[in-house]
Amino acid sequence: MISYEFPINERIRTLLRLEHLYDRTALFAGRQEAVDHHTALLGIFEIMEVASRADLKSDLLQELERQRQALAALRNNPHISEAALEDVLGEIEVTHARMLDMTGKFGQYLRENEWLMTIKQRLSIPGGACEFDLPSYHYWQQLPAERRQADIDRWFRPLTPIKQGIDIVLRLLRDSARVSHYTAHQGTFQQMSGGKTIQMLRVTLPSDLPVVPELSANRYAINVRFVHPSTSGERARVVDSDIEFGLGYCNL
């Protein structure tokens, strides 16, 4: 099966984007080649840009505290695993404390590094990080992989408490999913949502089915249509057959 997640509000959209950027950055930071570390550094800059557009730290702290209180109320519930509940509560408390220890504006220590900011500025220009534009960056890329990895880790590690907070919130959001199964007749499906609050929708399909969902939703209605994917530049065609799919409703 393959799942497609569709955030309904800007807050969840930002968290999903940051999750993607953090995961990609960590992947390339763990590799050895200079081109991988270039991509990791680009990821750090992208995280800075996305996270600086909202009061991310404050929102995450409030959400973690809200979830902590809601989960703590489930203690002594015979239908809840006490050990699993305590593990989640402990993870929330540790992450909350680590985020509180973050001082100043998000990524401020990176902004105070003139060398990094010069690279960031040049990376906004196509091909702007060539060796003749940034000879000191070219020199850094020739250093041993262990040295480059240590630098990337030094720049990236202070950003990870935010990643831990994002991971907890999105995991709880995904775990909240209520899944129903529907049929999209001739590739289209509509459902009235009756004003219910939904933060994210997840569409699940067999991975060997050559269609992709397109979704729009608000507090009143959910609309899904399935199209044939195309990489040739042709306009996507709506499927003209019935499609069986799962629809998950996620809300914290």
Side-chain angles (χ1 to χ4, degrees):
M1 304 297 286
I2 182 171
S3 294
Y4 300 85
E5 294 181 335
F6 295 91
I8 305 303
N9 59 50
E10 190 61 31
R11 177 168 165 268
I12 301 301
R13 188 174 294 112
T14 297
L15 295 185
L16 289 172
R17 283 180 175 146
L18 284 168
E19 178 188 52
H20 168 75
L21 289 172
Y22 270 108
D23 289 344
R24 190 185 70 184
T25 301
L27 173 67
F28 286 104
R31 294 181 178 177
Q32 298 287 316
E33 298 298 324
V35 66
D36 295 320
H37 293 161
H38 171 80
T39 304
L41 190 56
L42 180 61
I44 291 174
F45 294 150
E46 289 180 316
I47 290 169
M48 288 174 58
E49 287 297 317
V50 175
S52 65
R53 295 173 188 168
D55 193 2
L56 183 67
K57 177 183 171 182
S58 176
D59 285 348
L60 281 174
L61 285 171
Q62 291 178 19
E63 185 60 43
L64 288 174
E65 177 59 23
R66 191 171 74 87
Q67 293 303 316
R68 187 194 67 77
Q69 293 179 11
L71 291 171
L74 297 177
R75 284 190 171 115
N76 302 319
N77 186 323
H79 302 291
I80 302 294
S81 168
E82 197 73 19
L85 179 61
E86 292 302 325
D87 285 345
V88 175
L89 286 170
E91 186 181 0
I92 289 175
E93 289 173 4
V94 169
T95 300
H96 193 278
R98 288 176 178 168
M99 289 177 58
L100 283 176
D101 288 340
M102 297 176 68
T103 58
K105 189 176 180 180
F106 182 86
Q108 185 60 35
Y109 68 98
L110 296 171
R111 293 182 177 87
E112 293 171 355
N113 186 318
E114 185 177 343
W115 184 73
L116 285 177
M117 290 302 97
T118 299
I119 296 169
K120 181 177 181 294
Q121 183 180 23
R122 294 298 307 180
L123 286 177
S124 65
I125 304 171
C130 288
E131 60 185 84
F132 56 83
D133 287 309
L134 295 170
S136 65
Y137 184 50
H138 179 63
Y139 169 79
W140 180 81
Q141 291 178 304
Q142 310 312 309
L143 294 174
E146 295 78 10
R147 168 68 184 279
R148 284 185 270 108
Q149 280 184 318
D151 286 338
I152 291 289
D153 183 69
R154 177 162 51 88
W155 300 324
F156 188 43
R157 184 177 294 275
L159 304 179
T160 55
I162 292 291
K163 171 65 162 67
Q164 293 162 354
I166 291 170
D167 285 346
I168 292 173
V169 171
L170 289 180
R171 184 170 75 244
L172 292 174
L173 179 64
R174 288 168 175 137
D175 288 347
S176 74
R178 296 178 294 101
V179 180
S180 300
H181 297 276
Y182 299 105
T183 300
H185 297 289
Q186 293 188 319
T188 61
F189 171 82
Q190 184 180 67
Q191 182 184 71
M192 305 308 293
S193 50
K196 295 180 181 178
T197 300
I198 302 171
Q199 293 178 304
M200 186 173 74
L201 292 167
R202 179 187 292 170
V203 176
T204 306
L205 296 162
S207 56
D208 60 350
L209 191 63
V211 301
V212 296
E214 294 181 347
L215 185 145
S216 63
N218 53 42
R219 61 183 302 181
Y220 303 109
I222 298 168
N223 295 280
V224 185
R225 72 170 189 167
F226 294 91
V227 300
H228 294 288
S230 174
T231 58
S232 63
E234 298 177 358
R235 189 171 185 176
R237 294 182 294 108
V238 179
V239 175
D240 57 7
S241 58
D242 291 350
I243 301 294
E244 305 287 336
F245 69 102
L247 184 61
Y249 305 82
C250 305
N251 194 46
L252 289 173

